[in-house]
Amino acid sequence: MDSGVYSTKELHQLGLTSWQIRHRVNTGLLIGLRHGWYATPTADDTVVAAVRAGGVLGCVSALRAHDLWVPPGYGKVHIRSTRHGAGRGVRECRGFGNHLPALTAVDPIPVALLSAGRCMTPEHWIAACDSALNTAGLTVREMASELSTSSRKVASLLDKCDPRSQSGTESITRVRLRSAGFAVVVQPQIPGIGRADLRIGRLILECDSITHHTGLDNYHNDRRRDRRALVDGWLTMRITYDDVLYGWDGVLADIRAITRSDRHRRTP
């Protein structure tokens, strides 16, 4: 991503000489943030703040900057410090293993994930990693190679990731249900209906989001799918973003009410 903040090395790679860099600073085309780092006048304010504070944008903030799914509760700016003394309101983050050099103003996804392994809850980290895997089209094994870490914590979390997941709420739902002992099928193909988010026996779980389920076409298609599923003997439960993040106990109780009576196992 291009945040508008560059190191001297990056500017040289873009073809600028040291004289041209100084000239652009003098004419206001570049702004010196600290030694070796510059920003354009239209640079991203959050990235500028991270670099001014003595580091680069990292961890959860970098994941958000890469347009990956990040849940609420991580509002402060997270930086990976490259020198001592971060500013107020800035959370300094460091990943597992050796301290990595800061090559860009926004850490790449693997480096950000390593830092986030310390800052995020396990299920939030898995959801963010699922988002990265799905966006980049990577397998879990390929992501493990990208992370290049010996951290047992990150390795154990990565084992629970799934690149097929289509949303953060779907990821968290999968992780919570499996930890509760349910056999969850991810992105199952349902005959006559198409692909669903999750399945437990004959219980289809659709993790709805405002972004993908509020358009008129989506509204009609969802109801058509639910009707077809019911005719064919499937049960459908729609779970919202708020249900997962703020009302999970109720969701789990409803799922258990269905599975306890084996309604999800009955054939039509």
Side-chain angles (χ1 to χ4, degrees), residues 17-30:
T17 65
S18 297
W19 181 87
Q20 288 173 319
I21 293 173
R22 290 194 298 271
H23 178 71
R24 294 195 176 199
V25 171
N26 292 333
T27 57
L29 294 177
L30 284 176

Side-chain angles (χ1 to χ4, degrees), residues 59-128:
C59 193
V60 182
S61 297
L63 296 177
R64 186 180 289 111
H66 286 292
D67 292 326
L68 300 184
W69 190 87
V70 174
Y74 300 95
K76 289 186 177 180
V77 177
H78 291 237
I79 76 166
R80 188 167 62 84
S81 183
T82 56
R83 69 176 189 181
H84 296 294
R88 287 185 178 181
V90 176
R91 178 165 183 164
E92 295 185 72
C93 306
R94 182 178 176 184
F96 297 93
N98 296 327
H99 190 76
L100 299 173
L103 302 178
T104 58
V106 179
D107 270 337
I109 291 173
V111 178
L113 282 171
L114 283 175
S115 296
R118 293 186 185 274
C119 289
M120 301 181 85
T121 67
E123 64 182 18
H124 288 173
W125 190 94
I126 292 169

Side-chain angles (χ1 to χ4, degrees), residues 223-249:
R223 272 67 193 169
R224 180 195 61 78
R225 283 163 53 95
D226 292 351
R227 190 173 66 250
R228 180 73 257 175
L230 184 61
V231 169
D232 290 347
W234 299 91
L235 300 172
T236 300
M237 180 182 293
R238 292 195 171 273
I239 306 171
T240 68
Y241 175 93
D242 285 351
D243 289 335
V244 175
L245 294 186
Y246 309 115
W248 179 252
D249 289 345

